[in-house]
């Protein structure tokens, strides 16, 4: 396979590339995305619901966003991005974050890395709901009921982001499988 990368198309946020016979998408923003696993002081998991144009469906997801996607945030790291996205999407702020894992979102189709983080010591600071281009519904679901909530959303036709299932694991455990301290 040739190491030469050919750009097939360049858009505002994505570039379609080819290396040998393999076509894949590349984020113009190379820093990736952050996925935030957050539980409120009332022991409720924060999930977001939104309509996703590419799949023409409502989805259920953990709060998430691109790292350094806007000019004003071009140099931010994953932690600053996690705080910004958590507040913007859910109206909650975290006193600290812990990195869980980092890996490809779809290794056969994209160069994008996703950073899973766990938010701790949450405080409500606003309404959430996303920025002006988003219409996000925030769900605060008791930890004990979150698996049933997700299954019910799936049964009602919502598309469940598979990262939700990974996030459910990280509600109780750290990256080593140990209970949170």
């Amino acid at each position: 396979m040739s190491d030469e990368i050919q750009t097939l198309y360049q858009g505002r946020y994505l570039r379609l590339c080819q290396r040998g016979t393999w076509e894949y998408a590349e984020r113009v923003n190379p820093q990736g995305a952050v996925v935030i696993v957050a539980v409120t002081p009332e022991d409720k998991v924060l999930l977001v619901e939104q309509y996703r144009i590419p799949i023409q469906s409502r989805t259920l997801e953990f709060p998430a966003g691109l790292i350094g996607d806007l000019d004003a945030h071009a140099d931010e790291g994953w932690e600053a991005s996690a705080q910004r996205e958590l507040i913007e999407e859910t109206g909650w702020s975290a006193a600290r974050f812990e990195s869980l894992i980092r890996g490809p979102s779809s290794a056969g189709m994209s160069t994008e890395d996703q950073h899973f983080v766990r938010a701790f010591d949450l405080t409500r600071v606003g309404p959430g709901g996303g920025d002006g281009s988003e219409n996000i519904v925030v769900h605060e679901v008791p930890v004990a009921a979150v698996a049933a909530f997700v299954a019910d959303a799936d049964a009602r036709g919502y598309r469940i982001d598979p990262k939700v299932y990974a996030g459910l694991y990280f509600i109780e455990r750290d990256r080593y499988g140990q209970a949170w301290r």
Side-chain angles (χ1 to χ4, degrees):
M1 179 178 283
S2 170
D3 281 342
E4 183 181 329
I5 299 172
Q6 181 182 17
T7 299
L8 303 175
Y9 172 79
Q10 171 86 34
R12 184 173 172 196
Y13 300 106
L14 294 173
R15 181 173 27 245
L16 181 60
C17 300
Q18 183 172 348
R19 181 176 286 177
T21 60
W22 202 274
E23 295 176 353
Y24 58 94
E26 186 173 78
R27 286 260 184 219
V28 174
N29 157 8
Q31 297 180 63
V34 63
V35 179
I36 307 136
V37 178
V39 179
T40 71
E42 294 80 24
D43 212 29
K44 293 182 178 178
V45 179
L46 297 177
L47 295 170
V48 296
E49 167 190 332
Q50 58 188 313
Y51 186 80
R52 292 294 195 170
I53 292 171
I55 61 171
Q56 297 288 289
S57 181
R58 301 231 28 103
T59 63
L60 191 62
E61 310 169 14
F62 273 101
L66 297 174
I67 301 170
D69 59 331
L70 303 172
D71 291 341
H73 307 289
D75 295 327
E76 75 182 354
W78 67 263
E79 196 167 11
S81 179
Q83 185 72 280
R84 178 177 54 81
E85 292 289 348
L86 184 63
I87 292 169
E88 179 182 293
E89 293 192 0
T90 70
W92 289 86
S93 175
R96 71 180 177 93
F97 293 92
E98 188 163 324
S99 179
L100 297 168
I101 58 170
R102 177 182 176 182
S105 60
S106 178
M109 192 196 86
S110 172
T111 60
E112 179 181 69
D113 262 352
Q114 294 192 339
H115 302 253
F116 269 77
V117 302
R118 179 70 154 80
F120 291 94
D121 305 321
L122 272 61
T123 305
R124 179 169 294 283
V125 295
D131 64 21
S133 69
E134 300 170 308
N135 185 15
I136 293 174
V137 176
V138 181
H139 296 280
E140 297 181 14
V141 185
V143 169
V146 71
F149 180 85
V150 171
D152 184 54
D154 180 54
R156 292 190 332 263
Y158 284 71
R159 301 288 295 273
I160 309 302
D161 185 331
K163 294 182 292 294
V164 166
Y165 297 102
L168 294 179
Y169 173 85
F170 288 123
I171 289 170
E172 301 293 334
R173 296 171 195 86
D174 66 15
R175 66 187 310 164
Y176 299 101
Q178 303 300 309
W180 287 106
R181 352 179 228 323

